[in-house]
Amino acid sequence: MDARGESSGDSLTRRLGTGVGWLMIGRLGLALSGLASSVVLARLMSPREFGMMAAITVVLFLGNALTEGGFVSPIIQRTKVDADLRNAVFSLSAIFGLVLGALAAAASPWVAGFFRIEGLEWPLLAAVVIIPIKAMAAPAIGLLMRDHRYREVTVAALLSNIFAYSIVAILLAALGFGIWALVIPSILAALTELVLVGRAAGPPRKFVWRITDRNFISDWRASVSSGLLNWGALSSPNVIVGRLFGADGLGLYSRAGSLFSMATQLFSTTVERVMFSGLSGVQDDGERVTLLFRRMLSVLLPIYVTIGVGLAIHAEPIIRILFGSQWLAAIPVTSVLFLAFSGRASYKISESLALSKGRFNGVAFRQLLYLVLVSVGLLVGSPHGLVGVASGFTAAIWIFYVVSVLQARRLVNLSWASIAFVHVRAVGIAGVGAFADIAVIWSFSRFGWLLSHGAGAMALIIVLAVTMSLLPDRIIGEDLVWARRRIFSLIKIRTGRPVVGLPVVSVD
């Protein structure tokens, strides 16, 4: 049964909440396993080897952007997928992936020469096999997401990454395999995920080489263009840093970037996928789309701003604890990148809205703008070293976020005042917690970095919890009131006791 044929009485918010829950479990598991393996691998491998892998991922991300970006989004956006379209997408995605893999293999000597990193060519040549593997998995992932089968997607991603990176990669690194301790697990992870999602979605019935749905073809072209531009924007830091600062500089920047990406994937990619899938199902119901967009932005923006500021403040203990003393040069880079977190995470909300409305061409155009902004920011900042590159990237993210929100407002019925109120409130809430955090760190600084930052983080959490619990409804707005009451309702269900002094209301 098509998940989009569910009874009209089902709550969209509840469905999306379930989806977010499952994907958050997966993202949290991936983040924790990734952190655990990174802690070990950072002590077994050098910045140069991580820099080599970062150069390889530039090529792999290009293949993934063209295959997953081209086929997954149009599938999710379709209100109906018949057998012919399903079979054709599986068939053509596999062919497309094989062609891209062959082209990447042929270009591997040129890529190695561009980065001027000795010993890069053979690991890169081996790694390009991941491109067709990911292409074969992309249609299955799209179909599962479209049908709100988030559990299968979560389990596949979690099991494949834990097996490959938390077990195989550490074992190979301990045995002295060098860069191959990162390349081989990447291939194993892609293969494992393909098997799991393929089994969950079911194999294609037959080979179909042609797609007759012209709207799908148009959306595919726009999605490929958007994916290509998005790859350019996301990969340009690695390209510029690798070219200008070498493997060691790229290794330092990539570790900082990996923490930034991990935070983004954990919190924002989950919401982006669920919102896109859910909004696509009700894309013609303007009132519900507006309500959901406003609610998600109102609830998530304060969380994202708080997380970004908190991570930036505590970059030093994060690097010291996770990676060790050989990575201390990455601390200022990490701090600056985390300041871009809330802008990066929040623009995914507005872009999901545009995708759900089928505005693929508009999204592709904004990805071009994103690429230009990021490239200019990186080049302007590059004379100032790695911190300058990170600063240019952060500035570009925030400019793009403003553009994205302005575009989203045209698709929903929201006033300028309501948009401004959401942002002012988010900055105010995060600012209160950040002030308490910094004040406590300064007060405890004589006791060392670990104790002072630990006390500061606790102050941030406590102040925000008290603030959100006690602020009057008229100040935090109806959407945060809704979220607060839902949280208190869950507390009551689990403990049997309502939160003292606050009403417990069930709101759909």
Side-chain angles (χ1 to χ4, degrees):
M1 176 180 178
D2 193 331
R4 303 198 179 201
E6 293 175 353
S7 65
S8 58
D10 289 336
S11 167
L12 175 61
T13 302
R14 186 171 301 163
R15 264 203 332 271
L16 296 187
T18 302
V20 169
W22 268 110
L23 291 181
M24 281 294 288
I25 291 173
R27 293 296 172 181
L28 181 59
L30 290 174
L32 292 177
S33 64
L35 279 174
S37 59
S38 294
V39 168
V40 179
L41 292 173
R43 289 162 171 78
L44 295 174
M45 304 180 68
S46 67
R48 173 180 172 78
E49 290 164 333
F50 280 102
M52 293 175 69
M53 192 62 200
I56 292 173
T57 58
V58 170
V59 178
L60 298 183
F61 285 171
L62 173 59
N64 193 53
L66 294 176
T67 53
E68 182 174 337
F71 288 98
V72 172
S73 295
I75 290 177
I76 295 176
Q77 203 273 336
R78 300 262 87 68
T79 56
K80 182 180 180 181
V81 176
D82 58 27
D84 287 340
L85 178 59
R86 186 182 189 277
N87 292 328
V89 168
F90 270 102
S91 303
L92 295 179
S93 182
I95 294 174
F96 192 44
L98 289 170
V99 172
L100 288 176
L103 292 175
S108 58
W110 179 86
V111 173
F114 173 84
F115 281 105
R116 296 179 292 191
I117 299 177
E118 185 179 354
L120 180 64
E121 183 175 347
W122 284 108
L124 174 59
L125 188 61
V128 297
V129 71
I130 295 174
I131 295 176
I133 296 174
K134 286 283 190 179
M136 295 175 190
I141 294 174
L143 289 169
L144 293 173
M145 294 291 295
R146 177 186 175 276
D147 293 337
H148 306 297
R149 296 172 63 184
Y150 307 107
R151 182 177 64 179
E152 287 91 337
V153 177
T154 296
V155 170
L158 193 57
L159 291 181
S160 60
N161 279 270
I162 289 177
F163 164 68
Y165 297 110
S166 298
I167 299 175
V168 177
I170 293 175
L171 177 61
L172 294 178
L175 294 175
F177 274 67
I179 181 60
W180 294 100
L182 298 175
V183 172
I184 294 174
S186 298
I187 298 173
L188 290 177
L191 282 171
T192 305
E193 184 179 37
L194 170 62
V195 172
L196 293 175
V197 298
R199 180 179 180 183
R205 299 287 182 178
K206 60 180 180 179
F207 178 84
V208 177
W209 64 274
R210 183 180 179 184
I211 296 177
T212 58
D213 185 341
R214 293 187 176 182
N215 289 330
F216 185 94
I217 295 174
S218 176
D219 291 343
W220 175 83
R221 291 171 180 168
S223 294
V224 167
S225 300
S226 178
L228 180 61
L229 294 170
N230 188 51
W231 164 81
L234 295 179
S235 299
S236 53
N238 284 350
V239 172
I240 292 176
V241 172
R243 177 72 176 180
L244 297 180
F245 300 98
D248 290 327
L250 181 54
L252 291 171
Y253 190 91
S254 69
R255 287 298 83 198
S258 70
L259 293 175
F260 174 77
S261 298
M262 187 180 299
T264 303
Q265 292 174 4
L266 175 61
F267 294 102
S268 67
T269 303
T270 299
V271 175
E272 175 192 30
R273 290 188 174 187
V274 175
M275 277 198 66
F276 177 32
S277 177
L279 286 172
S280 295
V282 293
Q283 57 189 279
D284 297 324
D285 189 338
E287 184 177 349
R288 296 180 75 187
V289 169
T290 299
L291 172 63
L292 181 61
F293 174 76
R294 189 200 68 207
R295 179 163 290 176
M296 297 297 281
L297 188 65
S298 298
V299 173
L300 292 175
L301 189 59
I303 297 174
Y304 289 158
V305 176
T306 301
I307 291 173
V309 172
L311 291 173
I313 292 172
H314 298 286
E316 179 181 357
I318 291 173
I319 293 295
R320 286 183 177 274
I321 293 172
L322 295 181
F323 300 149
S325 59
Q326 67 172 326
W327 298 90
L328 295 182
I331 291 175
V333 180
T334 305
S335 184
V336 173
L337 287 179
F338 277 143
L339 291 177
F341 168 79
S342 51
R344 173 75 169 275
S346 300
Y347 83 62
K348 289 181 176 291
I349 301 175
S350 51
E351 292 302 293
S352 296
L353 172 65
L355 287 171
S356 71
K357 290 283 190 177
R359 306 296 178 90
F360 294 102
N361 290 325
V363 172
F365 174 78
R366 284 192 298 282
Q367 288 298 327
L368 175 59
L369 175 62
Y370 185 99
L371 173 59
V372 172
L373 289 172
V374 170
S375 299
V376 171
L378 293 169
L379 291 174
V380 170
S382 61
H384 304 284
L386 295 180
V387 175
V389 171
S391 299
F393 176 81
T394 298
I397 290 292
W398 279 108
I399 294 172
F400 180 79
Y401 171 69
V402 173
V403 173
S404 183
V405 170
L406 293 178
Q407 175 61 28
R409 182 185 170 275
R410 299 179 182 179
L411 301 177
V412 294
N413 186 26
L414 289 178
S415 66
W416 288 109
S418 62
I419 293 289
F421 176 69
V422 167
H423 289 81
V424 171
R425 180 182 59 202
V427 173
I429 292 173
V432 171
F435 177 81
D437 193 344
I438 295 173
V440 171
I441 291 175
W442 179 80
S443 300
F444 283 74
S445 59
R446 63 182 181 276
F447 298 108
W449 63 268
L450 183 58
L451 181 59
S452 61
H453 279 274
M458 288 299 298
L460 172 65
I461 295 172
I462 293 172
V463 168
L464 287 178
V466 172
T467 300
M468 290 303 300
S469 298
L470 299 182
L471 278 178
D473 291 358
R474 65 179 181 277
I475 294 180
I476 66 174
E478 62 178 292
D479 294 309
L480 281 180
V481 170
W482 170 86
R484 183 167 66 180
R485 289 175 175 173
R486 294 291 291 183
I487 293 172
F488 292 149
S489 177
L490 291 174
I491 294 174
K492 179 179 182 293
I493 291 173
R494 293 184 177 279
T495 65
R497 299 179 180 179
V499 178
V500 177
L502 288 168
V504 177
V505 180
S506 177
V507 181
D508 287 331

